[in-house]
Amino acid sequence: MIDNRLKRVLVVDDEPEIGEALRAYLEREGFEVTGAATLASALDAYRRIEPDLMLLDITLPDGSGLDILRATQAEGRRTPAIMLTARAEEVDRIVGLELGADDYITKPFSPREVVARVRAVMRRAEIAAGAPRRAGNAIVIKDLEVDIDAHEVRMGGRNADVTATEFRILRVLAEHPGQAFSRAALLDALHDDGSIFERTLDRHINNLRKKIEPDPERPEYLHTVYGVGYKMRARS
Amino acid sequence: MNRELLRALDLAIARDWAGAAAAMQQPDDPVAERLGGLFADLDRQDESRRRSTARARHEIGNALAIVQANLEGVIDGVLEATPERLASMRDALASAGAALDDLGRS
């Protein structure tokens, strides 16, 4: 199942009643939502929040949702996007121009359907871009190798000698590179029986850093996300 | 003349009014000139109707999107049925009705 924690969605629609409804549904599903009603404010919000996905209405008072796609792509960014349109003929333009929109939804729509599409596009994007490389049944992230079958962790080919608990923590983080976990979310993902507490999690992370990080004071793999928890570095 | 006329009529049958008008650009031929004018006029009307339909589709689609998204939100317990929200749904339906009226007149 996709984890929506801290995933940011930029919703661009000049009808505030539509934007508000989409925001309510997406927030209920755990997404962090930023709204914009114009091309200018959408580009401003895009640069500020760097969303994981955009919902873009095509017809905006000062331009087009397609302009947002073009502008972000011109900046060398590839953010998954779902286009919203009330005009059937615009669908042909979206498809024909091959602007890199991942999906489109025609108005009127069910907000539940929009949430389902958002999840599907995010899942596809994660699989395409962020999924960890697996060698055999090992997860490989740069020089770090988490060998699921052997229950071993290797850094630069050398065994890191982690404990069973450290292995479980590292495995969850390595399976979701780049994704921030709160301490509570991490414990949930570990399906822990209560033997690990939020306060002891920090100690396990520190021990892991000593074992796998080239410089534990300046972690390259196990990053602290201030105010949230931890995340594994992205794959690339 | 007959060949050009047949070609223009074929294009007109295919509703390519602009093409038909272009095929009728025969200098010093009053019949071709009148037919060309007629096809050009039909082309303008067709374009105008297309624009009206697209505009109405946009208005009605947006209005129904407002109503559907907000009604579903209230039913699902995601949004509250405040008087303001109900009023905005009523307004959206009214604008959809107005767009339908415009469409009927165009």
Side-chain angles (χ1 to χ4, degrees):
Chain A
M1 194 182 78
I2 190 170
D3 192 312
N4 298 327
R5 274 181 292 274
L6 299 172
K7 294 284 182 203
R8 289 184 291 264
V9 179
L10 176 61
V11 176
V12 183
D13 198 305
D14 63 334
E15 299 286 352
E17 294 92 345
I18 296 174
E20 198 184 329
L22 290 176
R23 172 194 288 273
Y25 270 90
L26 290 165
E27 284 184 346
R28 185 180 71 164
E29 297 297 317
F31 294 100
E32 193 178 306
V33 180
T34 299
T38 63
L39 170 63
S41 62
L43 286 173
D44 182 51
Y46 180 89
R47 287 165 189 141
R48 201 174 62 248
I49 67 165
E50 294 188 359
D52 298 292
L53 183 141
M54 302 184 283
L55 275 171
L56 302 174
D57 188 15
I58 292 190
T59 308
L60 297 171
D62 55 345
S64 157
L66 295 172
D67 294 333
I68 298 169
L69 264 188
R70 286 192 194 94
T72 55
Q73 286 169 4
E75 291 174 10
R77 305 187 205 189
R78 172 71 186 91
T79 305
I82 300 174
M83 310 306 292
L84 306 173
T85 176
R87 294 186 179 184
E89 71 272 17
E90 285 179 337
V91 170
D92 296 335
R93 279 176 62 209
I94 301 167
V95 176
L97 291 173
E98 296 181 350
L99 281 167
D102 296 83
D103 204 350
Y104 63 86
I105 299 171
T106 51
K107 294 179 180 179
F109 49 70
S110 159
R112 274 177 263 155
E113 168 72 10
V114 175
V115 171
R117 301 271 197 106
V118 165
R119 284 177 175 283
V121 169
M122 273 196 179
R123 198 179 298 122
R124 282 208 304 268
E126 282 180 351
I127 289 166
R133 182 166 62 86
R134 281 182 180 267
N137 201 18
I139 304 166
V140 181
I141 299 171
K142 205 173 172 246
D143 296 332
L144 174 68
E145 194 176 343
V146 181
D147 191 328
I148 309 297
D149 286 345
H151 219 268
E152 282 179 1
V153 174
R154 288 179 286 276
M155 171 51 71
R158 287 207 334 236
N159 197 332
D161 198 19
V162 298
T163 67
T165 301
E166 288 163 0
F167 182 87
R168 287 165 61 210
I169 294 168
L170 194 62
R171 177 179 175 174
V172 167
L173 292 170
E175 282 177 333
H176 304 85
Q179 179 181 317
F181 282 83
S182 68
R183 288 170 179 79
L186 190 50
L187 292 183
D188 280 347
L190 286 165
H191 305 298
D192 189 54
D193 58 8
S195 60
I196 311 173
F197 299 98
E198 285 193 31
R199 63 179 180 279
T200 57
L201 196 55
D202 295 354
R203 190 159 48 77
H204 291 303
I205 294 283
N206 280 338
N207 287 339
L208 271 170
R209 281 176 175 154
K210 285 177 193 160
K211 292 176 183 178
I212 67 164
E213 294 286 358
D215 179 359
E217 297 301 314
R218 303 168 76 171
E220 281 180 37
Y221 293 86
L222 289 171
H223 293 288
T224 298
V225 184
Y226 294 103
V228 180
Y230 298 102
K231 71 174 178 184
M232 173 60 70
R233 63 170 286 161
R235 183 182 152 205
S236 59
Chain B
M1 168 61 192
N2 273 346
R3 212 177 54 198
E4 280 85 21
L5 179 59
L6 284 176
R7 180 171 143 67
L9 287 175
D10 283 343
L11 289 165
I13 289 165
R15 301 183 71 83
D16 180 0
W17 307 119
M24 283 285 86
Q25 281 180 351
Q26 307 291 319
D28 305 325
D29 184 334
V31 176
E33 190 185 329
R34 281 169 178 76
L35 276 175
L38 174 67
F39 292 146
D41 196 37
L42 287 169
D43 184 46
R44 279 191 293 275
Q45 285 179 26
D46 216 28
E47 180 56 30
S48 167
R49 201 164 29 245
R50 252 199 310 272
R51 280 208 206 102
S52 306
T53 308
R55 206 164 36 239
R57 176 77 180 78
H58 177 71
E59 294 278 324
I60 295 168
N62 263 323
L64 293 181
I66 290 171
V67 175
Q68 184 170 359
N70 281 273
L71 264 184
E72 270 193 36
V74 170
I75 291 166
D76 291 344
V78 174
L79 298 168
E80 280 185 55
T82 61
E84 293 78 17
R85 190 174 307 285
L86 294 173
S88 78
M89 285 192 261
R90 179 204 57 206
D91 294 346
L93 282 178
S95 69
L100 268 179
D101 278 350
D102 287 347
L103 200 57
R105 274 193 288 272
S106 66

